[in-house]
Amino acid sequence: MNILLRGAAVVTVNEKREIISGGDIVVEGEKISYVGPHKEWDRSFDRIIDGTGRMVAPGFVNAHGHAAMSLLRSYADDVPLMYWLEKRIWPIEAKLKREDVYWGTMLAILEMLKSGTTTFVDMYFFMDQVAEAAEEAGMRAVLARGLVGIGHLAEKGLDESKQFVRDWQGRGQGRITTMLGPHAPYTCPPEYLKKVIALQEELSVPIHIHISETLDEVNRIKEQYGVSPVVLLRDTGLLTRPVLAAHCVHLSGEDMDILRDYGVHVAHNPGSNLKLGSGIAPVPDLLARGVTVGLGTDGAASNNNLDMMEEMRLAALLHKGSRMDPTLITADDALAMATRESAKAAFLADVGVVAPGMKADLIMIDLNRPHLVPQHNLTAHLVYAAQPGDITLVMVDGKVLVEDGKPTTLDEEKILFQAQQRAIHLVKPDSN
Ligand code: NI
């Protein structure tokens, strides 16, 4: 299938931050083959999409989340992380069945696609169901089975991770890639992490882990091991592997130097960190050191949506306000973080930029809206003014998955119904 997107303003998010007004994009199969000025083409296309009055940008890459937690949206709000996890979330998660995870993930995918996210990075359990949902929907996904290294299921988790990587790496025409997902240093002690490292060496997939999310976590690790979580992970050998670290809120200067020296990628989750009162990650300091920082929403139970536009806006506003410096995290920085840098953070080499040779993961936005007129700066529009409802078309791997704001591969009504029913059943006191 060849598609021509004709005459749109193209926000490429390439390293030069090029914006092409009235540009053409040619998609051949799953890839972009041309991005540049509008031309009179003397060849035929299977489909021509008119981009007049529209902007095209890379689809968003949600660098950290737990899609199926959408079933727990608005179930536990306004409480601290440890209470939230131990008293509210984990007891319900213990009751989750495969079908719950499938429909929770479908709900998340529906929300993500409609709000312009084309790739999601996920860590959870019953990952076969997450992968199936992503495959069916046509979405790109980077998936890890979450591992907890204490308790009787620790070893089983390693076996299941291995099987998951073998079953799913490269499936969905390459749209699905896998990682290993040790949950966090406080749930995975060093001796368990050494087993994860050995498995990583065997499977050669990256590692996705939560690090230094709260001050409480950092204090617990310091009491137990005498060092920060980052130092503990370095000493365990984990950071010599390719690592995506979610949160990284409480970091010392030494921690940040270690993340830089070991090439650790970071997923910034400003909405979740604010909502759980965890704090503000030192993103400007990480960027100043040259650390790759992507952007994620975390699960919908702690956000409470999966809207990457809102997340970009938070990332751009938060650091300006907290440090009283409006030059921090510019619109260009925030947009790159949500697209190109998130893709890099998730170890995806050909995603996140509108350029020839890259995967055709694109969003199209209607500029003919009161809050998007006039158009002095399209990047600023995307970060500070645009809304998910402005998105008219979403393409993943060269296939149109949302058109005129409606999903093309998903039965929206059925997903909403199933998710609602399953969520109600889950939180009933006597259900199991
Ligand atoms: Ni998380």
Side-chain angles (χ1 to χ4, degrees), residues 7 28 140 155 157 209 215 225 254 258 265 291 343 381 407 410:
E28 306 209 36
R140 195 177 305 285
E155 294 301 318
I209 186 168
L215 201 52
Y225 301 99
E254 186 199 5
I258 291 171
H265 300 165
V291 175
H381 272 13
L410 300 174

Side-chain angles (χ1 to χ4, degrees), residues 341-370:
E341 297 302 302
S342 271
K344 261 193 230 168
F347 302 94
L348 298 174
D350 49 4
V351 172
V353 178
V354 184
M358 301 296 276
K359 298 283 196 219
D361 293 3
L362 306 168
I363 60 173
M364 190 178 249
I365 286 178
D366 184 2
L367 291 168
N368 205 16
R369 310 273 166 136

Side-chain angles (χ1 to χ4, degrees), residues 64-66 69 84 123 183 208 210 213 246-247 269 272 297-299 302:
H64 176 75
H66 316 279
M69 289 185 86
W84 179 81
M123 179 202 295
H183 172 259
H208 185 184
H210 300 85
E213 181 173 359
H247 301 302
N269 300 267
S272 173
T297 58
D298 212 350
S302 63

Side-chain angles (χ1 to χ4, degrees), residues 66-270:
H66 316 279
M69 289 185 86
S70 289
L71 291 186
L72 297 177
R73 189 194 328 263
S74 79
Y75 174 64
D77 302 302
D78 311 324
V79 292
L81 176 70
M82 282 305 157
Y83 178 90
W84 179 81
L85 273 177
E86 289 168 3
K87 301 285 181 211
R88 304 288 284 163
I89 300 298
W90 285 343
I92 300 292
E93 285 187 334
K95 298 200 280 183
L96 281 174
K97 296 188 169 62
R98 290 183 179 276
E99 297 74 27
D100 297 321
V101 169
Y102 174 83
W103 288 107
T105 303
M106 271 299 191
L107 177 65
I109 287 177
L110 181 63
E111 182 189 356
M112 288 193 276
L113 278 178
K114 289 183 80 172
S115 54
T117 294
T118 50
T119 301
F120 70 108
V121 182
D122 206 82
M123 179 202 295
Y124 213 55
F125 43 94
F126 296 139
M127 290 307 289
D128 289 330
Q129 278 61 43
V130 178
E132 271 169 29
E135 189 177 37
E136 279 174 46
M139 216 175 164
R140 195 177 305 285
V142 183
L143 307 176
R145 189 227 190 261
L147 292 166
V148 171
I150 36 190
H152 65 290
L153 294 174
E155 294 301 318
K156 190 173 167 231
L158 292 171
D159 293 342
E160 286 185 10
S161 288
K162 187 167 169 178
Q163 196 57 46
F164 179 72
V165 170
R166 291 202 164 146
D167 289 348
W168 286 97
Q169 179 68 23
R171 283 269 292 275
Q173 293 84 47
R175 282 182 289 104
I176 294 175
T177 53
T178 60
M179 290 186 174
L180 297 178
H183 172 259
Y186 64 95
T187 49
C188 296
E191 55 276 21
Y192 186 74
L193 288 174
K194 292 215 164 100
K195 293 180 185 175
V196 176
I197 295 166
L199 189 57
Q200 192 283 332
E201 277 166 10
E202 186 186 334
L203 300 171
S204 294
V205 295
I207 290 169
H208 185 184
I209 186 168
H210 300 85
I211 303 181
S212 299
E213 181 173 359
T214 62
L215 201 52
D216 184 50
E217 170 193 336
V218 175
N219 290 337
R220 278 194 200 189
I221 295 286
K222 278 190 178 159
E223 269 168 39
Q224 210 174 342
Y225 301 99
V227 291
S228 74
V230 171
V231 171
L232 179 69
L233 292 175
R234 179 198 62 189
D235 294 348
T236 309
L238 192 93
L239 303 188
T240 62
R241 314 283 94 208
V243 171
L244 168 61
H247 301 302
C248 296
V249 175
H250 297 279
L251 301 174
S252 67
E254 186 199 5
D255 289 340
M256 287 190 267
D257 290 345
I258 291 171
L259 295 179
R260 175 199 58 207
D261 294 346
Y262 284 83
V264 174
H265 300 165
V266 171
H268 179 35
N269 300 267

